[in-house]
Amino acid sequence: MKTLPTGAAMLMAAGLAFTQIPSSAQAQDATCEIDRPVMFAGLNYDSALFHNAVARFIIEKGYGCQTDALPGDVIPLLTGTGKGDIDVVMEIWRDNVAEAWTKAEEAGNVSQIGVNFDDAVEGWFVPSYVIEGDADRGIEPMAPDLKSVDDLAKYTELFEDPEEPGKGRFYNCPSGWVCEKVNSAKLGAYGLDGDFTNFRPGTGAALSAAIASAHKRGKPALYYYWGPTWVMGLYDSTRLEEPAYDKAIFDALKTEENPTKATAYPQSTITIGVNNDFKAAAPTLITFLTNYETSNALVSEMLAYMQENNEKPDGAAMHFLKSKPDVWKAWVPGDVAARVENAL
């Protein structure tokens, strides 16, 4: 895990996705309510970086502020938000929030404002053409009755593991990820560990590559994945039904050896978090950040755009701002929207 840099000089040295200093014309049009850069948590995954890029562009061009971002991992950046080194975190996974954030909330140092998106997904998926077929590609339905994990034992041959004939293959997370342990426990609890190999790719990239390969070739595959991600944006997948989420059962999947019950992953709500001193000092920006609202499908679409076009998060942000004005203009007053649109 990366170590969070300390001190104002280190904070100001963090890289920028966009220019720090607004143009003179924009400075005349808008005056920022704080006299320093707004510091964002540069969480090291694409969806958070995309949201940073969108919010920073709007704050810079629409509100006349400077912005910066401190790259790093989740725990040190959340800790830094509690200490006041970070002002804004664009993704707080409320239903699985880190202890560092909980402690900072209890101490009155941070707050969650607004819901970025409330339909994040996790689960076991198959390509939708496995169930529905795909007439455009000449693919017939392979398992039209496949609806839930309870049906999987009938389809070991369909999802056959090339290295273990007679068994299906389940694409799990890489070893060491929390979801790998949860999925492994689920295989046992659902009585599928004898029917499916628990295949753990070496990296997250290897997992997404295996899923992409199956979809491109029109082949069956059974895999864990989550959204928003470019995989969910590019490839039409169907989540298999599981027993309704139960927190106690889900916690046992993460902690107990060989649990006998399993449950669906929680439906996650992702909020925007801020340091409370920043919240008090910048009420206009807080209103914008509170209004900021997207969706799993929208973010997956933008991440798919990044993947297909080899774009960086700031390029995806520009694409979003140009192609989805009906979305982002609802977050800001008309004068701010006009300045952002002019900057585009």
Side-chain angles (χ1 to χ4, degrees):
M1 182 175 289
K2 298 177 183 176
T3 302
L4 185 69
T6 57
M10 293 295 289
L11 288 174
M12 292 302 296
L16 296 176
F18 299 102
T19 180
Q20 282 186 313
I21 303 173
S23 70
S24 58
Q26 288 167 358
Q28 293 172 4
D29 290 343
T31 302
C32 189
E33 60 194 333
I34 59 175
D35 59 0
R36 59 170 180 80
V38 179
M39 185 65 66
F40 281 75
L43 296 166
N44 55 3
Y45 54 92
D46 285 343
S47 60
L49 293 173
F50 163 75
H51 289 300
N52 276 8
V54 171
R56 290 181 65 185
F57 191 90
I58 291 174
I59 287 174
E60 289 182 6
K61 308 304 183 185
Y63 291 91
C65 297
Q66 301 174 21
T67 73
D68 203 344
L70 182 63
D73 292 316
V74 173
I75 302 303
L77 289 178
L78 295 185
T79 301
T81 309
K83 293 179 177 179
D85 296 333
I86 303 292
D87 296 314
V88 183
V89 186
M90 291 301 292
E91 285 195 14
I92 299 290
W93 287 65
R94 189 174 69 189
D95 301 293
N96 197 23
V97 71
E99 185 179 359
W101 183 266
T102 302
K103 288 182 176 179
E105 259 186 335
E106 291 173 350
N109 296 329
V110 297
S111 298
Q112 296 180 60
I113 57 165
V115 174
N116 190 333
F117 52 96
D118 62 1
D119 56 351
V121 294
E122 288 181 89
W124 292 13
F125 293 85
V126 299
S128 294
Y129 56 72
V130 166
I131 300 170
E132 303 167 3
D134 187 337
D136 292 340
R137 300 175 66 187
I139 300 174
E140 295 292 329
M142 306 170 194
D145 297 326
L146 176 58
K147 294 182 179 179
S148 81
V149 294
D150 293 333
D151 302 320
L152 285 172
K154 300 183 292 185
Y155 292 105
T156 54
E157 186 175 342
L158 177 64
F159 299 109
E160 186 175 24
D161 189 322
E163 298 176 8
E164 290 196 46
K167 281 191 170 186
R169 172 178 285 191
F170 170 68
Y171 285 94
N172 200 343
C173 300
S175 296
W177 292 19
V178 173
C179 50
E180 183 272 329
K181 179 174 178 57
V182 171
N183 290 327
S184 298
K186 285 189 178 191
L187 277 172
Y190 289 141
L192 295 171
D193 48 348
D195 298 312
F196 285 82
T197 58
N198 188 1
F199 188 84
R200 305 167 180 88
T203 64
L207 173 60
S208 58
I211 296 168
S213 175
H215 277 267
K216 289 175 181 177
R217 294 180 296 120
K219 299 297 184 181
L222 170 66
Y223 46 90
Y224 163 87
Y225 220 72
W226 70 96
T229 53
W230 67 264
V231 169
M232 292 289 108
L234 279 182
Y235 303 118
D236 187 9
S237 301
T238 296
R239 183 169 52 173
L240 299 181
E241 296 174 2
E242 297 182 69
Y245 171 70
D246 182 293
K247 186 178 186 305
I249 294 174
F250 188 79
D251 288 345
L253 292 171
K254 295 188 287 185
T255 57
E256 294 183 6
E257 293 295 329
N258 304 315
T260 57
K261 293 182 179 180
T263 182
Y265 280 89
Q267 180 81 45
S268 294
T269 295
I270 286 68
T271 61
I272 295 172
V274 296
N275 173 270
N276 280 345
D277 288 341
F278 169 73
K279 181 180 178 182
T284 303
L285 295 181
I286 292 297
T287 298
F288 155 60
L289 292 167
T290 301
N291 291 339
Y292 189 108
E293 183 177 3
T294 62
S295 69
N296 172 44
L298 174 61
V299 178
S300 291
E301 178 187 344
M302 294 302 118
L303 299 183
Y305 172 84
M306 286 175 59
Q307 178 71 17
E308 286 189 301
N309 295 279
N310 196 30
E311 275 284 8
K312 300 296 185 183
D314 54 340
M318 294 297 288
H319 173 68
F320 165 76
L321 291 166
K322 290 176 180 179
S323 63
K324 308 286 186 182
D326 56 320
V327 176
W328 64 264
K329 285 185 177 181
W331 307 337
V332 296
D335 60 329
V336 173
R339 286 190 288 269
V340 171
E341 203 158 42
N342 289 338
L344 293 173

